[in-house]
Structures are given as structure tokens and as C-alpha cells.
């Protein structure tokens, strides 16, 4: 949904209606009333919803009257990716934040301000909404976290923030059953993150703790693929579990932990070898960058996975990239490889 199709004088009212429909009713005002801009996208995840917003600076206020008129009885978690935002609720104030998250309760009044990084810029935020009764923690505990900043740069907060970014960027490509699973994982990650903030992890169900642990393991592997010492034993030790327990966690995924690490490393190598900008980087350097220390073992493993050697794959991928570049229409409407008299 974009304000592009709305007359400039009506855009703020249009965005207010969008927010009322997709999140909650509230009063919104902006200093940029004459050139206000906003875009929004919303995706249903079964029991949850992920929304992405881009908008000009604004101030919003949800009063008790708004709550009485319409309340979905949800917790909503906002992640600010560009610009800054502040939120006040339940006698708590977050202060301005960016790159972090904040939680609010739709059944309580609240006020917030959103400020771009520069004059004329926009704020970008992702909001995860889910029913209050889906929260595995007791409401009295969660109240303590309303309008408190949750760091998105380390620990469970970083995993949750990255998951929200991935949902906003890629979840629309998934089918209904996959979206439901993504929604379940999202709620588990929120529960695990909030429980970590409160020190009440024992209140989470065993299933929720297991799913959150798997996400932490996936994030750890993702960020350490270039480490040649990344082994199943190292992963297990880092997360305080036995190697047997780790293997059991991954048993239902159809591949072992070692196989998963190898597959991800090969995918990274394949992407780098297909990049024309890395053509002068030796194959063995690419392999080492992603944890393969033995060139011959890497070459054999790559061929087993993709049916060709790394060098042959690179040459073929670069030729295809150059061919696409040559055949791309130029500004005059002709292909790049032919000049018209």
C-alpha cells in the first residue's frame, strides 16, 4: 500500500486509516502534512502478523477512548531499522532508539514519536503483532517490559531482530503452511527474548525453548561459517548441550549438523564464484573465506554437490552474467551489444 495513489493533502489521513486497520486506531499528526509520505505492507502469519512501514516524521497518540473503541488485545513489537522512534506506555518511556525494539500493549494508551535521520528522510519500521494470550509469560511480568528498549544488536535480541527483517523481506514468497510455521517461530523467539530480559526462561514451554534454541544455533552457524573450527562439537559446546543432544535436535530436519554446515559453506562459495566482481579472487581464497582449508577437498566436495569443478562453474557463471549484460536494453531501447547506425 502506497501513498503515491493518494492526493498529497489526504495522505496523512490515508495513513491514519491504514494504521487503524492494520495495527490499532490512534491520532496521528505530522509536521510534513503537505508532503507527507508513507508506504505499508502486511502479511498474515496465521496467529501472528508482520507489517512493514515507511513514513515521514510523525507523532501518534492512542487514548483510552481509542482503546474502548477498538482493541485487538495484542502485544505488538516494533523494530526501527531506519530513523529513530520513542514510545511511552504504562508510565515507561523508551527514549529515542534505532536498530532496537520496543513492546507495547494495544489495551493501554500510548504515545510515540518517529524522527527520520535527516530532514526530508523517512522512518522505516517492522511490527510483529500477536494475541496477548499467545504470550507464554504471565501478563504481570510482561507489563514491566512495555515501552522498554530491547537491544537488537546482541544476544537473543539480535536473533529476533534479524528474524523480523527476514520475515519482512522474504516471507511473502512462502506458502500458507510455511507462513503458519514462521508465525509460530516468531512468537517463540519473542517469548524467549522477553523471558531472557526478565530472567524467567523456565516459564516457557519445552517446545518453545527447543525452537528458540534451534534459532540461536542457526544464527551462530550463520555468523561463523568462515571459521574452520566450526564443527558440531564446537556448536554443542557453545550452547551448553551435548553433541548427542545437538544431533537429536536436528534429526527431524533431514540432514546432520555437519552436513548443514557444509551445505551452507558451499552455497556461500558458489555465490562468490558466480560474482563477476570477485573474478580476480583465487578459488582457494574463496574456499578459505568460508571455512574450507584444503583446496583439493573443497574442489571434490563442490563437484559432488554441483556436478562441476569450482573453476568450471565460475567460468560458466561469469559468461552467463556477461551475456545478460550485453543483451540488456540500453537507454535508447536497443540491446547493449548492438549499435544502431
Amino acid at each position: 500500500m502506497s501513498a503515491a495513489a493518494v492526493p498529497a493533502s489526504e495522505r496523512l489521513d490515508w495513513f491514519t486509516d491504514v494504521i487503524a486497520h492494520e495495527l490499532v486506531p490512534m491520532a496521528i499528526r505530522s509536521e510534513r502534512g503537505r508532503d507527507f509520505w508513507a508506504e505499508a505492507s502486511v502479511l498474515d502469519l496465521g496467529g501472528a502478523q508482520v507489517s512493514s512501514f515507511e513514513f515521514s516524521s510523525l507523532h501518534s497518540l492512542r487514548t483510552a477512548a481509542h482503546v474502548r473503541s477498538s482493541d485487538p488485545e495484542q502485544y505488538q513489537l516494533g523494530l526501527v531499522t531506519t530513523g529513530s522512534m520513542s514510545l511511552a506506555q504504562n508510565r515507561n518511556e523508551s527514549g529515542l532508539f534505532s536498530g532496537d525494539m520496543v513492546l507495547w500493549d494495544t489495551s493501554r494508551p500510548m504515545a510515540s514519536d518517529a524522527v527520520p535521520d535527516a530532514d526530508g528522510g523517512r522512518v522505516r519500521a517492522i511490527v510483529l503483532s500477536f494475541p496477548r494470550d499467545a504470550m507464554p509469560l504471565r501478563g504481570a511480568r510482561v507489563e514491566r517490559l512495555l515501552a522498554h528498549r530491547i537491544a537488537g544488536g546482541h544476544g537473543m535480541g539480535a536473533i529476533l531482530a534479524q528474524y523480523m527483517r527476514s520475515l519482512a523481506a522474504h516471507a511473502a514468497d512462502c506458502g500458507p503452511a510455511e507462513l503458519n510455521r514462521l508465525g509460530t517461530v516468531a512468537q517463540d523467539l519473542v517469548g524467549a527474548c522477553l523471558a531472557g530480559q526478565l530472567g524467567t526462561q523456565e516459564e516457557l514451554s519445552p517446545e518453545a525453548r527447543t525452537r528458540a534454541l534451534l534459532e540461536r544455533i542457526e544464527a551462530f552457524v550463520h555468523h561463523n561459517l568462515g571459521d574452520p573450527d566450526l564443527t558440531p562439537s564446537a556448536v554443542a559446546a557453545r550452547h551448553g548441550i551435548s553433541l548427542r543432544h545437538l544431533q537429536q535436535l536436528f534429526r527431524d530436519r533431514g540432514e546432520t549438523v555437519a552436513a548443514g554446515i557444509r551445505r551452507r559453506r558451499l552455497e556461500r562459495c558458489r555465490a562468490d564464484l558466480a560474482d563477476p566482481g570477485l573474478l580476480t579472487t583465487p578459488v582457494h581464497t574463496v574456499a578459505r573465506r568460508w571455512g574450507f582449508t584444503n583446496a583439493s577437498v573443497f574442489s571434490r566436495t563442490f563437484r559432488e554437490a554441483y556436478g562441476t569443478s569450482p573453476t568450471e562453474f565460475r567460468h560458466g557463471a561469469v559468461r552467463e552474467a556477461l551475456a545478460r549484460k550485453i543483451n540488456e536494453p540500453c537507454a535508447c531501447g536497443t540491446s547493449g551489444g548492438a549499435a544502431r547506425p
Side-chain angles (χ1 to χ4, degrees), residues 198-210:
L198 295 165
T200 57
Q201 292 89 337
E202 72 281 354
E203 292 187 17
L204 301 175
S205 70
E207 295 79 11
R209 289 199 297 269
T210 295

Side-chain angles (χ1 to χ4, degrees), residues 7-62:
S9 61
E10 300 175 12
R11 288 175 179 172
L12 185 58
D13 290 339
W14 170 83
F15 188 60
T16 300
D17 289 341
V18 169
I19 293 297
H21 186 267
E22 304 301 343
L23 296 182
V24 288
M26 59 180 68
I28 299 178
R29 57 181 173 84
S30 174
E31 297 174 353
R32 308 194 66 87
R34 294 184 178 180
D35 59 350
F36 184 82
W37 178 263
E39 292 182 348
S41 61
V42 180
L43 187 64
D44 179 48
L45 303 175
Q49 173 183 288
V50 62
S51 311
S52 299
F53 300 98
E54 178 180 338
F55 48 88
S56 304
S57 61
L58 57 78
H59 172 78
S60 61
L61 177 65
R62 179 164 166 82

Side-chain angles (χ1 to χ4, degrees), residues 289-304:
R289 176 183 297 162
W290 296 112
F292 291 100
T293 57
N294 187 302
S296 61
V297 170
F298 167 67
S299 183
R300 182 173 66 252
T301 304
F302 191 95
R303 182 183 290 276
E304 290 173 354

Side-chain angles (χ1 to χ4, degrees), residues 103 135-138 141-142 144-145 150 156 160 187-205 208-209 212 216:
L103 181 76
M135 172 63 69
L137 305 173
R138 291 196 292 272
R141 294 188 185 277
V142 178
R144 292 157 48 190
L145 296 177
I150 300 171
M156 200 67 207
L160 175 56
Q187 292 180 65
D188 287 339
L189 290 180
V190 172
C193 181
L194 299 184
Q197 297 282 315
L198 295 165
T200 57
Q201 292 89 337
E202 72 281 354
E203 292 187 17
L204 301 175
S205 70
R209 289 199 297 269
R216 291 201 300 272

Side-chain angles (χ1 to χ4, degrees), residues 11 14 20 48-49 51 79 87 91 106 113 127 129 139 142 146 173 196 216 224 226 239 242 255 271 275 288 335 338:
R11 288 175 179 172
W14 170 83
Q49 173 183 288
S51 311
L79 166 66
L87 187 135
R91 298 185 297 277
T106 64
D113 288 285
V127 178
S129 308
V142 178
L146 297 178
D173 299 326
R216 291 201 300 272
N224 291 276
H239 292 84
S242 68
E255 66 178 0
D275 186 349
R288 191 181 307 116
S335 64

Side-chain angles (χ1 to χ4, degrees), residues 248-301:
Q248 288 175 337
L249 288 174
F250 279 76
R251 182 174 53 198
D252 295 335
R253 297 199 166 193
E255 66 178 0
T256 65
V257 180
I261 293 172
R262 183 171 60 251
R263 174 178 55 79
R264 289 171 174 79
R265 284 173 167 164
L266 286 170
E267 289 170 351
R268 294 298 184 87
C269 290
R270 190 173 186 268
D272 283 359
L273 292 173
D275 186 349
L278 298 177
L279 185 58
T280 59
T281 303
V283 170
H284 69 270
T285 301
V286 172
R288 191 181 307 116
R289 176 183 297 162
W290 296 112
F292 291 100
T293 57
N294 187 302
S296 61
V297 170
F298 167 67
S299 183
R300 182 173 66 252
T301 304

